[in-house]
């Protein structure tokens, strides 16, 4: 077994400190921006909608959070799931969809690059 030299130990310590700072910072940013604490899931979703033909990507299952292209339609997505929009119950960006037995409340937000559909409990 070979011995670890001092320069290697310094590199290991520096990389460990960077990761120790970077991972919590990425998690906080992901939590604030995408409402999911997993920055890898959010990044994978953004990469999927940016570089593939996918219209949307689910980045969290409960409560459900979906990132979508700005051209994607939440109405069409919900119709495919068997829901219809209840326009009378809409409260600003909080959209209400229902089927025969449940109601889903979805907070819709959009910026220049992507849309975010966030289910409310």
């Amino acid at each position: 077994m070979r011995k670890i030299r001092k320069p290697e130990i310094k590199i290991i310590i520096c990389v460990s400190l960077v990761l120790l700072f970077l991972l919590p910072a990425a998690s906080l940013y992901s939590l604030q921006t995408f409402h999911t604490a997993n920055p890898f899931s959010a990044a994978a979703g953004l990469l999927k909608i940016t570089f593939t033909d996918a219209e949307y990507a689910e980045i969290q299952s409960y409560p459900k959070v979906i990132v979508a292209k700005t051209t994607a339609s939440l109405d069409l997505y919900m119709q495919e799931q068997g829901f219809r929009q209840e326009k009378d119950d809409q409260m600003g960006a909080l959209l209400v969809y229902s089927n025969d037995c449940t109601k889903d409340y979805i907070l819709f937000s959009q910026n220049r690059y992507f849309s975010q559909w966030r289910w409310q409990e």
Side-chain angles (χ1 to χ4, degrees):
M1 184 178 248
R2 86 177 174 89
K3 231 174 154 180
I4 298 177
R5 291 178 283 159
K6 284 191 179 192
E8 291 173 344
I9 291 175
K10 287 181 182 179
I11 291 172
I12 291 171
I13 290 173
C14 288
V15 168
S16 298
L17 288 175
V18 167
L19 288 177
L20 192 64
F21 171 75
L22 197 59
L23 289 177
S27 292
L28 286 174
Y29 179 77
S30 178
L31 189 61
Q32 181 181 19
T33 305
F34 300 105
H35 302 278
T36 179
N38 185 349
F40 302 109
S41 174
L46 283 177
L47 290 172
K48 182 177 179 181
I49 65 169
T50 302
F51 295 113
T52 67
D53 291 336
E55 288 289 312
Y56 56 87
E58 184 175 325
I59 60 172
Q60 182 172 298
S61 59
Y62 185 81
K64 187 186 269 190
V65 178
I66 293 178
V67 291
K69 292 182 178 180
T70 55
T71 57
S73 170
L74 176 58
D75 288 332
L76 184 61
Y77 173 80
M78 291 304 287
Q79 285 174 3
E80 290 172 357
Q81 304 298 316
F83 287 82
R84 65 186 175 285
Q85 185 174 11
E86 301 289 335
K87 293 195 184 267
D88 295 337
D89 294 337
Q90 180 176 339
M91 297 171 275
L94 186 64
L95 307 176
V96 181
Y97 289 88
S98 66
N99 62 11
D100 294 334
C101 56
T102 62
K103 275 190 176 182
D104 280 3
Y105 296 87
I106 303 168
L107 190 60
F108 177 88
S109 63
Q110 181 173 334
N111 64 23
R112 185 176 175 181
Y113 307 105
F114 63 90
S115 298
Q116 185 180 51
W117 309 335
R118 194 175 66 207
W119 273 247
Q120 303 296 300
E121 295 183 33

